[in-house]
């Protein structure tokens, strides 16, 4: 029997569930409000841009896994293979930031959804919410510490459960859909600014992009646990299967309300989770109960996934010498206890921000999305490099499109957020240098490594100064 088939680990279906489960979280339940500042036309065009970009990324993951099956370190290993050790660190550290910042966003929404049933959590940003979120946080840490693969199978089951309310919403929205209402909400001219002037089509697109990208974060989840897959070839397949399902679900959930409600009605719903209130207007109070219940299940599942992903990334980076060796040390269950505790502590500290801001969810997800731009960019660039070396020009085009979109988004959609992420790279660089000192002979440096290290350090310090002086702000 083939050695790869004998290998114990996560199979294709659980991997595909990990991709979908990692991406479908709270974002899809609130996306109709987050894009309600745009008319149907700009929103649909934004989905074309984002969906195409995400498909290019998934095709890149699939191609790289086929051509370089030995890269088992997770998505950061693509950057390292293509551009050196420090590039691998940038990719991995950005992904690690994304995942635990996402957990802060999930905590906010989970408490808000619980607040629909239990008023003590109303708003999701009070003392009671922080206490219960902390209990959830360390509960997940305990579960993952007992074995990552077992936790992944739990997530596959939860994924099936949380899709039910989404499909129910889609079915009811289709049955009440009015083409005329959709047409009325389609033109960008109906969205006005405070002065009563139409907001430009391009500006409406920019307002959609960030939240649409956020709901796709997690599509690379299978590659992060790729070393634990039964078959390496399943990683790419799972990513493509997951992305197709996600595009269909997201477009239907976000666009169908344009055919069931007026823009005025959509824009008046600002409380999250928005889907619950939209569904309540469609079918009555029971609709909000179903959606909020589904959101709670969704967040319980996706929070579990996103507890696994940053820890696996940290373990893989430590094993590869990009972070101190202690971060990758595993217990008898094969789980990296030190990485679990450290990541959980970072998340727990950031949870305190729920007490000091009214927009903790938006801040966490925009910053997390900006962090993953670095990871996605290196993925696209390595797809380009690998395809150029092999003279595979269709694959080269795929990588070019993926890379170009990430650069455009970093410069024109989330420039301030990207600058703040550069600040968060500064402490990571210290850990990277410590790891280099531990394994100096095993961590060779190239001119590109030194150049990127210098640039990231300089831009990080400059960004810190600009935020401190108020020149930049979020």
């Amino acid at each position: 029997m083939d050695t790869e088939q004998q290998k114990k680990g996560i199979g294709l279906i659980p991997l595909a569930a990990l991709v979908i489960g990692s991406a479908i979280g709270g974002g899809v339940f609130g996306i109709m409000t987050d894009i309600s500042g745009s008319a149907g036309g700009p929103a649909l065009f934004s989905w074309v841009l984002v969906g195409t970009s995400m498909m290019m990324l998934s095709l890149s993951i699939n191609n790289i896994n086929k051509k370089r099956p030995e890269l088992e370190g997770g998505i950061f290993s693509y950057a390292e293979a293509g551009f050196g050790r420090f590039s691998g660190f940038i990719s991995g550290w950005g992904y690690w930031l994304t995942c635990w910042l996402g957990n802060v966003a999930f905590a906010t929404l989970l408490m808000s959804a619980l607040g629909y049933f239990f008023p003590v959590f109303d708003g999701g940003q009070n003392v009671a919410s922080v206490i219960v979120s902390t209990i959830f946080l360390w509960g997940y840490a305990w579960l993952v510490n007992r074995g990552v693969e077992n936790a992944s199978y739990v997530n596959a089951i939860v994924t099936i459960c949380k899709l039910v309310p989404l499909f129910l919403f889609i079915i009811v929205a289709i049955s009440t859909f009015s083409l005329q209402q959709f047409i009325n909400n389609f033109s960008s001219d109906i969205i006005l600014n405070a002065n009563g002037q139409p907001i430009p089509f391009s500006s409406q697109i920019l307002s959609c992009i960030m939240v649409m990208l956020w709901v796709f974060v997690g599509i690379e989840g299978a590659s992060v646990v790729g070393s634990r897959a039964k078959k390496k070839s399943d990683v790419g397949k799972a990513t493509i299967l997951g992305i197709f399902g996600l595009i269909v679900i997201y477009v239907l959930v976000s666009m169908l309300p344009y055919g069931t409600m007026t823009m005025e009605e959509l824009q008046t719903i600002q409380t999250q989770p928005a889907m619950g209130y939209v569904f309540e207007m469609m079918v009555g109070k029971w609709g909000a109960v179903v959606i909020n219940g589904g959101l709670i299940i969704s967040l319980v599942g996706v929070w579990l996934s996103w507890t696994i992903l940053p820890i696996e990334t940290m373990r893989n980076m430590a094993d590869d010498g990009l972070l101190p060796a202690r971060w990758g040390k595993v217990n008898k269950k094969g789980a990296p206890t030190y990485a679990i505790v450290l990541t959980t502590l970072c998340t727990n500290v950031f949870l305190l921000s729920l007490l000091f801001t009214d927009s903790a969810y938006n801040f966490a997800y925009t910053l997390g999305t900006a962090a993953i731009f670095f990871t996605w960019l290196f993925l696209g660039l390595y797809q380009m490099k690998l395809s150029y070396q092999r003279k595979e020009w269709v694959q080269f085009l795929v990588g070019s499109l993926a890379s170009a979109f990430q650069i455009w988004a970093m410069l024109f959609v989330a420039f301030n957020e990207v600058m703040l992420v550069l600040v968060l790279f500064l402490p990571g660089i210290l850990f990277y240098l410590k790891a280099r000192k531990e394994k100096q002979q095993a961590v060779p440096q190239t001119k590109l490594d030194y150049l990127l290290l210098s640039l990231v350090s300089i831009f990080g310090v400059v960004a810190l100064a600009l935020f401190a002086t108020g020149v930049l702000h979020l």
Side-chain angles (χ1 to χ4, degrees):
M1 183 179 293
D2 191 282
T3 303
E4 187 180 54
Q5 293 179 332
Q6 290 180 320
K7 178 183 175 181
K8 293 183 179 180
I10 307 172
L12 175 61
I13 299 303
L15 277 175
L18 183 61
V19 175
I20 295 175
S22 298
I24 293 183
V28 67
F29 288 85
I31 196 169
M32 61 280 299
T33 288
D34 291 329
I35 69 172
S36 63
S38 299
L44 191 58
F45 185 80
S46 298
W47 275 123
V48 173
L49 288 177
V50 172
T52 301
S53 171
M54 293 301 102
M55 185 55 67
M56 295 303 103
L57 284 176
S58 67
L59 290 173
S60 296
I61 292 174
N62 186 48
N63 180 60
I64 293 172
N65 273 284
K66 286 181 177 179
K67 304 296 171 52
R68 296 293 307 275
E70 73 278 11
L71 298 178
E72 294 190 337
I75 197 168
F76 77 87
S77 63
Y78 307 152
E80 182 180 353
F83 307 101
R85 307 285 289 175
F86 189 69
S87 297
F89 163 77
I90 294 174
S91 179
W93 189 262
Y95 192 75
W96 179 71
L97 289 173
T98 294
C99 292
W100 68 259
L101 284 168
N103 286 336
V104 176
F106 299 146
T108 308
L109 277 183
L110 178 59
M111 293 303 105
S112 181
L114 286 172
Y116 185 86
F117 302 101
F118 308 102
V120 67
F121 302 117
D122 187 36
Q125 296 185 210
N126 51 28
V127 174
S129 298
V130 171
I131 292 173
V132 174
S133 295
T134 300
I135 294 173
F136 269 97
L137 183 66
W138 287 98
Y140 285 129
W142 174 82
L143 177 61
V144 175
N145 196 51
R146 293 178 59 83
V148 173
E149 290 181 15
N150 290 335
S152 298
Y153 282 104
V154 171
N155 176 70
I157 297 172
V158 173
T159 297
I160 297 173
C161 297
K162 71 184 178 182
L163 289 175
V164 173
L166 288 178
F167 288 141
L168 179 62
F169 176 86
I170 290 172
I171 291 170
V172 173
I174 290 175
S175 67
T176 59
F177 184 84
S178 167
L179 180 59
Q180 185 58 53
Q181 184 65 69
F182 185 81
I183 294 173
N184 292 341
N185 291 336
F186 194 81
S187 174
S188 62
D189 293 337
I190 66 174
I191 305 297
L192 308 178
N193 59 24
N195 297 322
Q197 300 297 317
I199 297 177
F201 184 89
S202 58
S203 298
Q204 293 185 42
I205 291 174
L206 292 178
S207 70
C208 292
I209 295 295
M210 204 64 171
V211 66
M212 289 180 177
L213 288 170
W214 163 242
V215 298
F216 278 106
V217 172
I219 63 168
E220 62 295 304
S223 72
V224 176
V225 292
S227 61
R228 296 174 180 267
K230 286 183 179 179
K231 299 173 64 177
K232 182 65 176 176
S233 59
D234 284 345
V235 177
K237 295 176 183 177
T239 303
I240 292 178
L241 283 174
I243 199 70
F244 268 117
L246 289 170
I247 290 174
V248 172
I249 293 171
Y250 290 159
V251 172
L252 287 175
V253 166
S254 62
M255 298 307 298
L256 284 173
Y258 283 96
T260 60
M261 303 172 66
T262 65
M263 285 304 305
E264 291 75 13
E265 290 173 328
L266 283 171
Q267 291 177 328
T268 56
I269 300 176
Q270 296 299 322
T271 306
Q272 296 286 16
M275 184 185 290
Y277 295 95
V278 171
F279 204 42
E280 184 173 8
M281 295 178 68
M282 291 180 181
V283 301
K285 188 175 179 62
W286 70 267
V289 173
V290 170
I291 295 300
N292 279 286
L295 175 59
I296 292 171
I297 295 174
S298 174
L299 290 171
V300 167
V302 79
W303 198 345
L304 173 59
S305 296
W306 282 40
T307 300
I308 297 170
L309 298 180
I311 290 166
E312 281 291 279
T313 300
M314 185 180 287
R315 178 185 69 85
N316 290 334
M317 291 178 69
D319 290 347
D320 197 41
L322 299 178
L323 288 175
R326 186 179 181 185
W327 294 31
K329 186 177 180 180
V330 299
N331 58 23
K332 62 182 180 180
K333 296 283 188 178
T337 301
Y338 185 84
I340 291 170
V341 173
L342 184 60
T343 301
T344 305
L345 281 173
C346 290
T347 313
N348 209 163
V349 170
F350 209 84
L351 275 175
L352 297 177
S353 68
L354 303 184
L355 301 176
F356 305 107
T357 176
D358 294 329
S359 56
Y361 171 69
N362 289 341
F363 176 71
Y365 89 68
T366 54
L367 193 59
T369 305
I372 207 170
F373 285 158
F374 292 89
T375 306
W376 285 346
L377 176 59
F378 274 112
L379 170 61
L381 292 175
Y382 184 52
Q383 165 79 354
M384 292 175 63
K385 180 177 180 178
L386 186 63
S387 302
Y388 178 81
Q389 291 171 338
R390 295 170 175 264
K391 301 187 184 305
E392 297 173 346
W393 304 119
V394 173
Q395 294 291 349
F396 181 83
L397 177 61
V398 168
S400 299
L401 292 173
S403 302
F405 182 87
Q406 301 309 315
I407 294 172
W408 172 76
M410 294 172 81
L411 294 177
F412 298 103
V413 179
F415 180 77
N416 285 9
E417 288 83 357
V418 168
M419 293 297 285
L420 184 54
V421 170
L422 288 172
V423 175
L424 298 179
F425 272 115
L426 294 177
I429 290 174
L430 298 179
F431 292 120
Y432 170 77
L433 294 176
K434 181 179 179 181
R436 182 192 171 198
K437 184 177 181 179
E438 285 180 353
K439 301 180 178 180
Q440 190 160 5
Q441 298 302 316
V443 190
Q445 299 291 292
T446 65
K447 291 182 179 179
L448 180 59
D449 282 330
Y450 282 121
L451 175 62
L452 289 176
L453 193 154
S454 300
L455 288 175
V456 173
S457 300
I458 291 170
F459 278 108
V461 172
V462 170
L464 179 61
L466 293 176
F467 278 110
T469 56
V471 176
L472 292 179
H473 55 83
L474 297 176

